[in-house]
Amino acid sequence: MTAFLTKVNAVILNPLITFGFAVALLLFLWGLFEFIRNPADAENRKKGQNNIIWGLVGLLIMFSVFGIIKVILGTFGLPQPGFPFTR
């Protein structure tokens, strides 16, 4: 059972968490780009602001998921990887 959970974490969960971090970061950066690129257009600045907020919300959720996974792995005594971007 331990080997199965370790494999699920390494093959499925870590890539999904990494992908979620990447999507949230890209959304944040795109919102920042829109916000800065359109200083006179209030509607596009609002879109950029919304993307920044949702990108930050996504990053917060992904950090929470990463923490919950670490707690679950620690509870079952499974090896805990580092941050998803490190191997």
Side-chain angles (χ1 to χ4, degrees):
M1 182 69 165
T2 302
F4 173 73
L5 291 176
T6 303
K7 191 120 182 120
V8 166
N9 184 44
V11 174
I12 296 173
L13 294 179
N14 278 345
L16 285 176
I17 292 172
T18 303
F19 179 72
F21 271 115
V23 169
L25 182 63
L26 286 175
L27 182 63
F28 173 78
L29 292 175
W30 178 251
L32 192 62
F33 176 73
E34 283 183 332
F35 190 79
I36 292 172
R37 183 179 60 156
N38 301 305
D41 189 2
E43 183 178 327
N44 283 336
R45 283 180 63 93
K46 184 66 175 167
K47 285 181 189 176
Q49 191 176 25
N50 285 338
N51 285 341
I52 290 170
I53 291 170
W54 284 110
L56 288 174
V57 168
L59 287 171
L60 177 68
I61 289 170
M62 294 315 300
F63 276 114
S64 299
V65 166
F66 180 68
I68 290 168
I69 297 276
K70 283 190 68 97
V71 168
I72 291 170
L73 291 175
T75 300
F76 290 113
L78 299 173
Q80 296 184 17
F83 194 71
F85 300 121
T86 60
R87 295 282 170 197

